[in-house]
Amino acid sequence: MRSKFDEQLALLHKELMTMGALCESAIALAAAAMEGGDTTKTQKVFDYSAQIAHKERDIEGMCMRLLLQQQPVAKDLRVISSALKMVTDMQRIGNNSGDIAEIVNMGHIKAAHDKLHIQDMAQATIKMVTESIDAFVKNDAALAKAVIAYDDVVDDHFDRIKTALIDLLRAHDADGEYVLDLLMIAKYLERMGDHAVNIAEWVIFSITGRK
Amino acid sequence: MITVNDLCLWYGSAQALHHINMAIPEKSITALIGPSGCGKSTFLKTLNRMNDLIPGVKISGEVLYNGENIFAPGVDVNMLRKEIGMAFQKPNPFPMSIYDNIAYGPRTHGITSRIQLDDIVERSLRGAAIWDEVKDRLKKNAHGLSGGQQQRLCIARALAVEPDVILMDEPTSALDPISTSKIEELAISLKEKYTIIIVTHNMQQAVRISDKTAFFLLGEMIEYDDTEKIFAMPRDKRTEDYITGRFG
């Protein structure tokens, strides 16, 4: 009786998965580009970021059409309204990946940053983004809750990196551009963790009706 | 104001309502939804004993209206229907003038004064948001009105005997969208003074106008809650399946 609507919902789900996969690729590649200032990688991050922005507009259009045509209620309404909110956070993740790539392109990030464990922070953030999207795909509220809890890990990384950078400045052991660029990267990663938390919260809302 | 306790109803040997329990708050709109044959219209008609007219009907349980069981011996059914009025799916104006349609009820209740009747007619037609459209042709036959106007006339006719409760059985299912939205606006304005219980097949209508919604299925009341809750986060899977169009 509602096969057309079910088809449209399945397509929406598929599109969100595609957009989520693009976010995972963008952030992973941005983290990899930090390693050696690799500009072929950063260019690819920009491409992903553009694709993500495009997907956001496509999915928004789908959601608006579904709201108009199907006048959804209950779980259908929750899924579609959650999708509308989630794509904004995914698009920001794409943007933040692009921001990191831009910083890498400036060439101030050197191998010395390893001892600050920025890669550990990047991996923790990738884990949050990946699992928030997994929680959506698998309709898994418990996994979404775990993502929200894991934000503390990313926040702790940020605090440690900030402290380490301040120590470097105090010791006059680093140039200012390097320190500020690294702090910006850490901040972008921390923001991406927050966006993953938002996605996880919308997953929980779509399942339980509560945020 | 209306409390239904363990209400069961049979048409002959077929049970049409199974142990219905609900408390309907006053000065609000309660929507009854469910697939055809689920018992929602039967339930609505039970509230002012319209089912008494059908042979072979048997009822158990009670409906308390202002604390009194409407099925108790000695209840004056005419008085009950004055308190609990009704508008039907198909507008059914009497084949007489607009004025006489409205004055009919008050006259049967003994009001003969022309001044009083004029006042009731104007007040009722204003109350049903149709006064401006008919004030210059009160003596014309009501059958000359459009379907939407006829439905508002019938609601005005129900208002003329000063009821507390108005039952509406799919009042807009035969109307175009403009007339439908007029009836919906009317229902919302009427709830300031009256308690309204409406059967509707139009889910969006229930969402738009009602405060509470009850979902009926196979003679049972499956779920009854605030309308927003029913349509955002129903508790019962059967409710979810019905309102999302998975069956019905």
Side-chain angles (χ1 to χ4, degrees):
Chain A
M1 180 166 29
R2 43 170 275 163
S3 56
K4 171 77 182 162
F5 187 20
D6 283 334
E7 268 173 38
Q8 290 171 313
L9 284 174
L11 184 62
L12 173 64
H13 197 261
K14 195 168 149 258
E15 288 290 283
L16 282 165
M17 280 167 63
T18 307
M19 188 173 176
L22 285 169
C23 288
E24 289 174 42
S25 303
I27 179 175
L29 207 57
M34 285 191 302
E35 279 304 307
D38 186 337
T39 50
T40 47
K41 284 194 179 114
T42 53
Q43 184 51 48
K44 192 90 179 98
V45 174
F46 298 138
D47 293 345
Y48 280 135
S49 181
Q51 286 179 51
I52 289 166
H54 198 265
K55 271 275 179 264
E56 184 197 20
R57 282 192 294 277
D58 285 352
I59 293 173
E60 274 175 356
M62 282 177 81
C63 291
M64 297 306 283
R65 258 195 315 282
L66 282 169
L67 290 173
L68 179 68
Q69 293 171 346
Q70 304 291 352
Q71 304 185 340
V73 294
K75 171 109 185 172
D76 300 330
L77 177 61
R78 297 199 305 274
V79 166
I80 295 166
S81 51
S82 299
L84 264 175
K85 300 291 286 185
M86 279 165 58
V87 290
T88 307
D89 284 298
M90 288 189 191
Q91 189 265 338
R92 298 273 158 77
I93 289 171
N95 264 357
N96 290 158
S97 302
D99 293 334
I100 291 175
E102 272 179 25
I103 292 174
V104 170
N105 276 356
M106 288 175 192
H108 304 127
I109 304 298
K110 297 185 285 275
H113 69 248
D114 275 349
K115 63 184 175 205
L116 296 174
H117 304 293
I118 191 100
Q119 277 300 338
D120 293 345
M121 182 178 184
Q123 293 313 312
T125 309
I126 290 169
K127 176 181 159 72
M128 282 184 75
V129 171
T130 305
E131 289 186 352
S132 67
I133 290 156
D134 270 0
F136 168 77
V137 173
K138 295 174 187 156
N139 215 24
D140 186 342
L143 183 56
K145 280 182 188 155
V147 170
I148 294 168
Y150 201 76
D151 194 37
D152 288 345
V153 174
V154 171
D155 287 349
D156 287 347
H157 275 298
F158 178 74
D159 291 340
R160 270 200 298 276
I161 287 168
K162 196 173 87 176
T163 309
L165 288 170
I166 291 168
D167 289 346
L168 278 179
L169 281 177
R170 279 204 184 111
H172 302 288
D173 197 18
D175 66 79
E177 280 169 328
Y178 166 74
V179 169
L180 285 183
D181 281 359
L182 216 51
L183 183 65
M184 297 264 285
I185 288 176
K187 189 63 194 168
Y188 285 132
L189 290 170
E190 189 268 334
R191 288 298 301 145
M192 286 195 258
D194 291 343
H195 291 305
V197 167
N198 290 346
I199 293 170
E201 282 176 349
W202 285 111
V203 171
I204 292 169
F205 173 77
S206 74
I207 297 168
T208 65
R210 285 179 292 275
K211 272 196 84 183
Chain B
M1 136 172 285
I2 296 178
T3 310
V4 181
N5 292 325
D6 204 32
L7 179 73
C8 295
L9 182 143
W10 291 261
Y11 292 122
S13 60
Q15 188 166 359
L17 293 176
H18 298 259
H19 307 283
I20 310 290
N21 290 286
M22 69 192 287
I24 298 169
E26 62 178 344
K27 295 190 174 50
S28 65
I29 300 178
T30 301
L32 310 179
I33 62 167
S36 298
C38 69
K40 57 191 187 303
S41 288
T42 295
F43 176 73
L44 188 79
K45 287 177 190 148
T46 307
L47 298 179
N48 72 348
R49 291 185 53 178
M50 294 286 282
N51 287 324
D52 285 17
L53 308 171
I54 300 167
V57 164
K58 198 179 97 198
I59 293 169
S60 70
E62 56 180 17
V63 174
L64 301 178
Y65 170 62
N66 290 337
E68 308 229 356
N69 186 6
I70 64 167
F71 304 119
V75 167
D76 180 344
V77 176
N78 285 326
M79 282 311 287
L80 177 72
R81 292 190 192 137
K82 178 188 162 313
E83 299 288 319
I84 306 181
M86 186 146 187
F88 297 88
Q89 180 174 2
K90 199 167 167 288
N92 56 347
F94 303 141
M96 50 180 77
S97 72
I98 292 166
Y99 185 98
D100 288 340
N101 260 276
I102 308 299
Y104 189 90
R107 278 178 181 141
T108 62
H109 289 286
I111 297 172
T112 52
S113 149
R114 180 76 198 192
I115 296 166
Q116 238 183 314
L117 285 173
D118 283 355
D119 180 50
I120 290 171
V121 168
E122 179 170 344
R123 206 158 13 96
S124 305
L125 290 168
R126 279 190 190 281
I130 190 180
W131 171 253
D132 288 338
E133 290 163 62
V134 300
K135 63 180 182 214
D136 299 325
R137 47 172 170 157
L138 293 175
K139 295 294 169 195
K140 294 266 167 60
N141 194 301
H143 284 162
L145 298 172
S146 74
Q149 288 172 327
Q150 287 187 14
Q151 191 60 293
R152 279 179 286 147
L153 179 78
C154 292
I155 292 170
R157 193 175 61 193
L159 298 182
V161 293
E162 297 183 343
D164 282 331
V165 181
I166 304 166
L167 309 177
M168 298 183 176
D169 192 359
E170 294 183 52
T172 62
S173 61
L175 303 182
D176 65 64
I178 303 283
S179 304
T180 296
S181 92
K182 281 187 180 162
I183 299 283
E184 289 182 0
E185 279 173 26
L186 172 59
I188 291 167
S189 71
L190 288 176
K191 79 168 178 178
E192 282 178 26
K193 285 198 209 154
Y194 308 92
T195 302
I196 295 169
I197 305 165
I198 181 170
V199 164
T200 180
H201 274 294
N202 182 336
M203 229 79 76
Q204 293 302 322
Q205 179 169 74
V207 175
R208 279 195 296 270
I209 69 171
S210 73
D211 302 289
K212 291 207 163 248
T213 295
F215 170 58
F216 283 72
L217 183 66
L218 300 170
E220 280 182 65
M221 196 186 70
I222 304 298
E223 192 165 347
Y224 172 51
D225 213 327
D226 294 340
T227 295
E228 210 177 306
K229 240 171 163 181
I230 292 274
F231 286 95
M233 193 71 208
R235 273 175 287 127
D236 196 289
K237 188 175 180 305
R238 290 167 293 180
T239 313
E240 169 117 17
D241 286 349
Y242 178 70
I243 62 173
T244 56
R246 288 188 167 79
F247 74 83

